């Protein structure tokens, strides 16, 4: 609608961390909409040929930085998991995360986990367990309702037996980690 002619970003790499997407977006903004890109912190005029070249170089560097960050993150998570540590994500019901990112039991939630295992051992179905927990007003980790799939997730989660299990897939590499965890078990294995 031609309401503006400049798109202002803090840094160019905030627009995109993919070289083809960044260059295509800037080109489309300029040719189809008459909008040029400007940065608050980088004095480059993308409306000029030299500015386009510098922007493309910066976009390429941002893409490389994204790749390096991703590789370091995956590498750190794999190392942590291989050493029995909690390698990320939300802490499962029964645990919270400590300052180092490990798992620490939350007793009220841990009791719910133990009850789920006891009900299953007593022969209740997944649906019956979910229904009982809902009838009693027991909330899930996120405060929602229980479903058979939520109960199944708890029963299948090796963290409750004190183990960590992860499947890492990155860049064609596949690594399955199944180790004794550094966190306390909530149930006997």
């Amino acid at each position: 609608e031609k309401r503006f002619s400049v798109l202002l970003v803090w840094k160019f790499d905030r627009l995109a961390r993919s070289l083809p997407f960044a260059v295509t977006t800037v080109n489309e903004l300029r040719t189809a909409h008459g909008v040029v890109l400007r940065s608050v912190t980088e004095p480059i005029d993308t409306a000029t040929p030299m500015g386009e070249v510098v922007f493309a170089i910066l976009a390429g560097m941002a893409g490389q930085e994204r790749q390096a960050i991703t590789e370091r993150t995956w590498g750190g998570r794999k190392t942590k998991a291989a050493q029995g540590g909690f390698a990320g994500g939300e802490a499962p019901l029964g645990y919270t995360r400590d300052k180092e990112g490990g798992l620490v039991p939350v007793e009220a939630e841990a009791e719910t986990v133990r009850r789920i295992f006891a009900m299953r051992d007593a022969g209740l179905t997944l649906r019956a367990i979910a229904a009982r927990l809902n009838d009693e007003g027991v909330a899930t980790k996120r405060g929602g309702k229980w479903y058979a799939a939520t109960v199944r997730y708890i029963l299948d989660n090796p963290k409750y037996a004190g183990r960590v299990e992860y499947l890492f897939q990155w860049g064609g590499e596949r690594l399955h980690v199944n180790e004794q965890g550094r966190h306390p078990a909530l149930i006997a294995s």
Side-chain angles (χ1 to χ4, degrees), residues 84-99:
F86 182 60
E90 184 177 336
L93 183 73
Y95 294 102
T96 190
R97 296 182 75 169
D98 63 19
K99 291 179 183 175

Side-chain angles (χ1 to χ4, degrees), residues 45-175:
D45 184 359
T46 60
T48 67
M50 182 55 82
E52 284 182 2
V53 170
V54 173
F55 172 75
I57 291 169
L58 289 175
M61 290 170 59
Q64 178 59 35
E65 179 184 11
R66 176 179 170 261
Q67 180 73 19
I69 289 169
T70 302
E71 288 174 7
R72 284 192 301 270
T73 300
W74 279 103
R77 289 184 70 202
K78 288 188 308 188
T79 300
K80 188 171 187 177
Q83 295 171 350
F86 182 60
E90 184 177 336
L93 183 73
Y95 294 102
T96 190
R97 296 182 75 169
D98 63 19
K99 291 179 183 175
E100 290 79 39
L103 296 176
V104 177
V106 175
E107 194 49 45
E109 292 179 6
E111 186 54 38
T112 299
V113 171
R114 290 183 197 105
R115 285 188 60 222
I116 290 170
F117 277 89
M119 286 188 274
R120 186 62 171 175
D121 289 345
L124 272 70
T125 65
L126 302 176
R127 283 188 190 159
I129 296 169
R132 183 173 292 178
L133 293 169
N134 286 327
D135 289 346
E136 294 173 5
V138 176
T140 63
K141 182 75 170 181
R142 294 183 179 173
K145 291 183 64 161
W146 289 92
Y147 297 94
T150 316
V151 173
R152 166 64 64 201
Y153 173 78
I154 301 262
L155 294 169
D156 287 344
N157 192 332
K159 289 176 186 69
Y160 296 118
R163 298 194 65 77
V164 293
E165 182 174 25
Y166 297 98
L167 178 61
F168 296 99
Q169 296 184 67
W170 173 254
E173 177 188 354
R174 182 181 167 118
L175 175 66

Side-chain angles (χ1 to χ4, degrees), residues 3-49:
R3 289 186 180 176
F4 61 93
S5 60
V6 176
L7 174 60
L8 187 63
V9 295
W10 182 253
K11 288 184 72 174
F12 287 120
D13 66 3
R14 300 293 83 200
L15 177 67
R17 290 200 178 227
S18 162
L19 177 61
F21 182 75
V23 172
T24 302
T25 300
V26 169
N27 185 55
E28 184 177 330
L29 282 170
R30 187 180 61 251
T31 58
H33 305 288
V35 174
V36 294
L37 183 67
R38 294 275 199 284
S39 167
V40 172
T41 60
E42 299 157 320
I44 299 164
D45 184 359
T46 60
T48 67

